[in-house]
């Protein structure tokens, strides 16, 4: 299908943010994004506003503090989706259509049991947690990410492996954790399944602790995909780095301010994938 | 009516940055002898369910929403 025919559902409830940036990211690349409230997908809206998840080719869960991050970050949004949208979401993922969760979106996908999802599309209980940063603080700054995926993830297909991109983080709960008794096993399975997409590194590209890894996440992991590669969750915000002028060094490095920023390639990759596959 | 208290605690071995930071701040205020500070979350709810079923309902609530089993445990107490 043509890129302009690709419909992107940017799903929001109260407390999500960056949906406008997400919208703009897809729009500037020529796709057809729409900001959709969860109520529109579950029939709790006037008839003309109702939407069906099946109408879209890409689902994006933006960042923010959905439902005030009450209970745990992303837990309430996940519970609402699970209660009304579980079957639709499973079908969406099973059909190979891409799902992107950024920041709070990643937390929601983890709480939903959609990531890391080793054995099924959506596990009954979460298999991981995005827990409070080791620093105990909200960490908000650019971060260096090394692309580690061998080609499975549809969101980074155009990004060479080993490349380092600069994408900002802004979160207090990004510390990826697995059950302590299965930490090793889960890390191995992630590697074996090619599910690791981004790891935090220092400016030389080496794995490093705080502050380079803002959260203390296990294995410096910043983003993972599902075993099929069509669901990506990442803590950093690529939609906030669509243009060079959004990079902290853009006045020093020259070039056009509105040239593509480092987050651009994520959106380009997924649209490229969808246009070829569907 | 049954009143239930659901206590969500971090699993043993999971670091508690909020507790650590609280400890640090209390020490800055001059409090001495604090060995450790742990954060817990308590949900208290009034339920219109038979007393015999209340515990099971609260456990189900904890599994489905209130606790993430990867890092947290829950304890239900009926009052």
């Amino acid at each position: 299908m043509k890129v302009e025919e690709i419909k992107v559902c940017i799903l929001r409830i109260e407390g999500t943010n960056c949906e406008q940036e997400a919208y703009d990211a897809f729009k500037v690349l020529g796709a057809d994004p729409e900001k959709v409230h969860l109520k529109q997908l579950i029939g709790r809206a006037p008839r003309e506003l109702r939407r069906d998840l099946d109408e879209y080719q890409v689902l994006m869960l933006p960042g923010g503090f959905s439902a005030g991050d009450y209970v745990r970050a992303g837990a309430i949004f996940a519970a609402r989706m699970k209660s009304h949208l579980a079957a639709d979401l499973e079908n969406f993922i099973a059909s190979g259509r891409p799902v992107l969760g950024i920041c709070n979106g990643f937390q929601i996908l983890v709480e939903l049991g959609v990531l890391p999802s080793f054995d099924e599309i959506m596990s009954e209980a979460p298999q991981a947690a995005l827990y409070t940063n080791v620093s105990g603080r909200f960490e908000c700054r650019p971060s260096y990410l090394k692309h580690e995926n061998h080609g499975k993830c549809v969101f980074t297909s155009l990004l060479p492996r080993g490349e380092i991109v600069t994408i900002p983080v802004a979160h207090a709960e990004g510390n990826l954790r697995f059950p302590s008794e299965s930490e090793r096993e889960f890390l191995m399975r992630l590697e074996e399944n090619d599910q690791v997409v981004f790891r935090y590194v220092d400016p030389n590209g080496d794995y490093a602790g705080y502050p380079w890894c803002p959260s203390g996440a296990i294995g410096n992991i910043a983003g993972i995909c599902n075993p099929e590669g069509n669901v990506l969750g990442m803590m950093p915000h690529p939609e906030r780095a669509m243009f060079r002028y959004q990079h902290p060094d853009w006045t020093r490095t020259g070039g056009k301010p509105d040239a593509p920023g480092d987050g651009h390639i994520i959106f380009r990759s997924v649209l490229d994938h969808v246009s070829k596959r569907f | 009516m049954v009143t239930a208290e659901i206590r969500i605690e971090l699993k043993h071995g999971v670091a508690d940055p909020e507790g650590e930071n609280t400890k640090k701040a209390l020490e800055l205020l001059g409090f001495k002898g604090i060995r450790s500070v742990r954060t817990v979350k308590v949900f208290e709810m009034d339920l219109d369910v038979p007393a015999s079923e209340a515990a099971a309902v609260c456990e189900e609530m904890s599994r489905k929403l209130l606790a993430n089993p990867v890092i947290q445990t829950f304890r239900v107490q009926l009052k």
Side-chain angles (χ1 to χ4, degrees), chain A residues 246-264:
Chain A
Q246 291 170 305
H247 284 263
D249 59 351
W250 75 274
T251 52
R252 279 169 278 152
T253 48
K256 285 189 179 159
D258 57 354
D262 284 4
H264 204 265

Side-chain angles (χ1 to χ4, degrees), chain B residues 30-57:
Chain B
F31 292 97
K32 292 192 173 64
I34 309 170
R35 194 174 287 179
S36 65
V37 176
R38 287 176 295 279
T39 50
V40 295
K41 196 163 200 169
V42 175
F43 294 89
E44 195 176 271
M45 45 184 96
D46 300 329
L47 302 168
D48 281 322
V49 300
S52 57
E53 292 168 22
V57 169

Side-chain angles (χ1 to χ4, degrees), chain A residues 1-8 26-27 29-33 57 271 275:
Chain A
M1 67 194 302
K2 290 180 188 155
V3 168
E4 58 265 34
E5 291 165 356
I6 300 174
K7 291 185 73 177
V8 182
F26 284 107
K27 192 78 186 169
L29 291 168
D32 180 16
Q57 283 76 43
L271 292 176
S275 66

Side-chain angles (χ1 to χ4, degrees), chain A residues 209-269:
Chain A
Y210 190 81
W212 308 110
C213 175
S215 56
I218 190 163
N220 274 34
I221 292 174
I224 56 172
C225 64
N226 65 341
E228 284 68 40
N230 65 320
V231 180
L232 169 67
M234 61 188 290
M235 288 314 298
H237 283 269
E239 81 285 11
R240 294 189 190 176
M242 279 299 283
F243 302 101
R244 284 303 309 168
Y245 66 76
Q246 291 170 305
H247 284 263
D249 59 351
W250 75 274
T251 52
R252 279 169 278 152
T253 48
K256 285 189 179 159
D258 57 354
D262 284 4
H264 204 265
I265 202 151
I266 300 214
F267 299 94
R268 217 163 59 229
S269 295

Side-chain angles (χ1 to χ4, degrees), chain A residues 86-105:
Chain A
D88 289 359
L89 182 61
E90 276 185 299
N91 289 337
F92 193 92
I93 295 171
S95 71
R97 281 173 284 180
V99 179
L100 174 60
I102 290 172
C103 198
N104 199 215

